[in-house]
Amino acid sequence: MTASAWWRRFGSRGVFWRQLLRFGILNCPLWLEPLVIGWWSMFFLLWSSGRRTVMRNLSAIKPGSLALVNFFRCYRVFWNYAWTIADKVRFKESRVLPDWEFVGWKHFEEMQARGGAILLTAHMGSYDLGAHLFSETSGHSIVMVRAPENDPETHRFEETHGAKALRVEFTTNSTELALGLLGAIREGRIVAIQGDRVTPGISDLPAMLFGKPVRLPAGPFALAMAARVPIYPVFNVRLGRRRYRLVTREPIEIVRTANREAAFQEAVQAWARELETIVCACWYQWFSFEPERAS
Amino acid sequence: MRFVQDCPEARLLPSRFHFALARLLAMARSYSTPPRPDVDRVVYAIDRHQNAAEHYAVSIWVAVSVACYVASALPLKPAAAAAASLVLGPIVAQVPIVVVGVLVLLFNRGKMRDGVGINSAACMTLFFLASAYFAQRRSPVRFVAWFFFFVVALNALAWVILALMRKRIRQMEAQCGI
């Protein structure tokens, strides 16, 4: 291993922090956990790009808010994020699940009953915990789509310590991925995609979020049109220590018309509205740490 | 891990609490009808570390006590010692976790294993020893140390009461389908 590769492990996306988190989960007495998490959450504030993005998100969500107030709000976002990733690792290591509440159970049941659907979610709560809950409460298996880790060592670590029951697809080769996902939906599986962030190399669509033009991933909408299935907006909200809420909204149907662009635009704007409503109410756990690409 | 679905009474089951005192308080609260959560469905996990209020309370209590012990041990003026203890207290409270964690790691030849139980016992023992030491001081820190022993005594009493009420606890669990 070269010296630079060795140092990279201590970077914000380095493997060292994942290993440290795992060490903490396997050693920290649970009655000291709030103290430890509160302390370590402060270190996230040193992550300048993440902090700046959260501050920018907050100024869009809460227009006219003071920068100092947003700095403390930023700490609250990181504090929630720390709890979320801790819950995820605890589940992987000890199979400990939190309490769950369900809102929009009718739509959730409908999604499970139909077999083959797209679950569109955001970077909120715990994606992994929500997916596990889904696979444990329903007969359907779930395919999670996510961006790969930038650091190869971190990627390997996540693969080694990942949950075995879930199928995870990475957004590396979009053509192969699209075909694979289409096949999965046709087999009756639920495909879960995070639709609030565009990563480089994937196609996007313009939308308005908090009155600002943004780009949102086009993949889920194209997939829904090709597979002729609805998109279910599902949000996984952390309510407190070991307490989550799964919010399922009314499905977004994509009508196949001659004007594909208009159909996509209508669907993406419907998704943006759902996203805006939930982010407005739960701004403290929108874990969107990547800079937004304006259109 | 066990789960209880759509039974709001399960929220205050003693088996969802860790310390005897918290379990007894939960039992006392369980006699009043719990409000139905304003959601479609609810699933409660039955795990003794599930309650947030209990864990936050213990964590804050430990953090404040350790900060007081650190402030008392520092050879500084009271205001400076208090300021320094705000930073040093949480660090000192976490040192045993790292030391015991590394020892467990070495004992397991570099493989990470679940050491929460060992760490929990080690941290509580150290907290006990530190409280025993500071309880003998003439400074006001002795009140913080005595408070620790008061809570320990109260917890022991709660444990005895709970042991006498185990039939009732079993009934409560059965009502929730456990």
Side-chain angles (χ1 to χ4, degrees), chain A residues 95-113:
Chain A
R95 306 284 299 170
V96 171
L97 270 172
D99 294 342
W100 286 93
E101 292 179 4
F102 295 87
V103 172
W105 179 254
K106 189 179 77 177
H107 304 305
F108 189 74
E109 254 189 333
E110 183 191 297
M111 177 172 64
Q112 292 185 79

Side-chain angles (χ1 to χ4, degrees), chain B residues 38-112:
Chain B
D38 188 23
V39 290
D40 297 336
R41 293 199 71 183
V42 62
V43 178
Y44 291 111
I46 306 300
D47 183 86
R48 59 194 301 215
H49 297 287
Q50 210 64 26
N51 188 266
E54 179 192 13
H55 284 78
Y56 276 105
V58 174
S59 204
I60 291 167
W61 170 46
V62 172
V64 171
S65 302
V66 172
C68 289
Y69 296 162
V70 169
S72 163
L74 288 173
L76 297 169
K77 284 186 177 169
S85 70
L86 284 178
V87 180
L88 291 174
I91 299 172
V92 171
Q94 291 176 69
V95 168
I97 304 173
V98 178
V99 173
V100 177
V102 169
L103 288 175
V104 171
L105 195 65
L106 292 174
F107 187 75
N108 288 314
R109 294 174 189 168
K111 278 197 175 168
M112 271 197 221

Side-chain angles (χ1 to χ4, degrees), chain A residues 82-152:
Chain A
W83 276 107
T84 304
I85 55 176
D87 284 343
K88 180 184 92 173
V89 175
R90 175 156 298 111
F91 173 75
K92 284 177 181 173
E93 295 298 331
S94 328
R95 306 284 299 170
V96 171
L97 270 172
D99 294 342
W100 286 93
E101 292 179 4
F102 295 87
V103 172
W105 179 254
K106 189 179 77 177
H107 304 305
F108 189 74
E109 254 189 333
E110 183 191 297
M111 177 172 64
Q112 292 185 79
R114 60 169 295 127
I118 295 171
L119 185 160
L120 196 55
T121 187
H123 287 81
M124 299 186 97
S126 180
Y127 189 36
D128 300 62
L129 273 181
H132 271 283
L133 182 81
F134 186 89
S135 55
E136 291 200 3
T137 54
S138 88
H140 296 285
S141 58
I142 190 163
V143 181
M144 288 168 72
V145 182
R146 61 167 17 146
E149 294 292 339
N150 292 345
D151 182 61

Side-chain angles (χ1 to χ4, degrees), chain A residues 217-268:
Chain A
F221 304 97
L223 192 62
M225 188 178 262
R228 299 179 189 216
V229 291
I231 292 174
Y232 288 87
V234 178
F235 302 98
N236 181 357
V237 180
R238 180 180 177 269
L239 299 174
R241 185 182 173 276
R242 290 200 185 183
R243 228 177 119 216
Y244 287 82
R245 177 177 287 174
L246 208 70
V247 181
T248 312
R249 300 275 194 216
E250 256 184 63
I252 301 169
E253 301 276 355
I254 303 185
V255 189
R256 283 168 84 104
T257 58
N259 191 350
R260 278 166 52 103
E261 292 301 312
F264 277 145
Q265 205 47 56
E266 201 181 315
V268 80

